[in-house]
Every structure is written in structure tokens, then in C-alpha cells.
Amino acid sequence: MFEETGLDKLIGEKFILQNIKFEKITPAQVDEMKEMIGSYEALFSRRAIKYKEWKLKDKKLAEKDYRQYILDEYTFLKRPVIIIDDKIFVGSEKKTVAALKNELK
């Protein structure tokens, strides 16, 4: 996705890349992203292997649960997350990539 949108050439110049596997995401960052996108659920990845391992699909999760799981386990954050000014792009779906490309023009 980074190559497809041209972001790979802008890292370090116009963007900061945070590898959340090694640099944990903070509660403030999660809360800021939630404010931008509207819910913690929109940030949550159901594709994470631990989603099935922890049998989360069988549970009724509330917003506070999504937030806590994202903070506890980095794989639950839908990635990539790209923030440009007051806009947020979450995930790698075709429509998200298209919107990001349009924003970068």
C-alpha cells in the first residue's frame, strides 16, 4: 500500500512511521484516532489471529472492550492507520486506498 500510494517516499520527510509492534500505541493515540473515525470498533481488526484464538467472535464487545483489546494487543489495530491533518485512513480496503491516493494528489 505504501508503494501504491507513494507514501514510501514520504516517510521521514512528511510522515512518521510508528511500528506498533516495537513502539506500543498509547491510550492517547487510540483515543485521538477514535475521535477522528467515530468508534473504537472501526479501528478494530477482526482479521487478527488472536480474534479467533481468544474466541472474541462469540462475545458481545462494547466500545470499551475494543479500546482495551487494541491497547493490550497490537494485532487488534486495523492497519495501516494514516493520519493526514484532520483526516484518518484505516485499513487497506480498495476504497480506503483510493481515498488516500486522492488525498495525496
Side-chain angles (χ1 to χ4, degrees):
M1 178 175 173
F2 285 94
E3 294 84 16
E4 184 180 347
T5 59
L7 279 175
D8 58 326
K9 295 176 181 76
L10 301 173
I11 295 171
E13 181 183 319
K14 292 188 177 186
F15 292 97
I16 298 168
L17 181 64
Q18 179 179 348
N19 185 336
I20 61 172
K21 184 175 182 178
F22 302 107
E23 183 184 341
K24 279 194 84 151
I25 191 165
T26 67
Q29 287 174 311
V30 173
D31 294 343
E32 178 184 0
M33 290 185 289
K34 182 260 186 188
E35 289 304 313
M36 295 179 84
I37 201 163
S39 71
Y40 294 110
E41 183 178 8
L43 297 168
F44 187 83
S45 174
R46 287 180 174 80
R47 293 183 181 176
I49 292 171
K50 291 188 179 182
Y51 181 71
K52 290 178 185 174
E53 287 178 359
W54 294 3
K55 298 182 175 38
L56 297 179
K57 67 178 182 161
D58 301 328
K59 295 182 181 179
K60 176 88 169 132
L61 300 177
E63 278 291 288
K64 65 180 173 96
D65 299 319
Y66 291 118
R67 181 183 187 273
Q68 194 58 54
Y69 282 122
I70 291 168
L71 289 171
D72 289 345
E73 175 56 49
Y74 77 93
T75 59
F76 286 126
L77 179 65
K78 192 182 293 183
R79 292 164 286 160
V81 175
I82 299 161
I83 299 172
I84 302 173
D85 299 322
D86 62 344
K87 295 183 178 110
I88 187 167
F89 303 87
V90 179
S92 58
E93 293 178 0
K94 287 182 182 183
K95 66 179 183 177
T96 304
V97 173
L100 178 58
K101 281 182 177 179
N102 190 51
E103 181 66 27
L104 291 171
K105 285 183 182 178

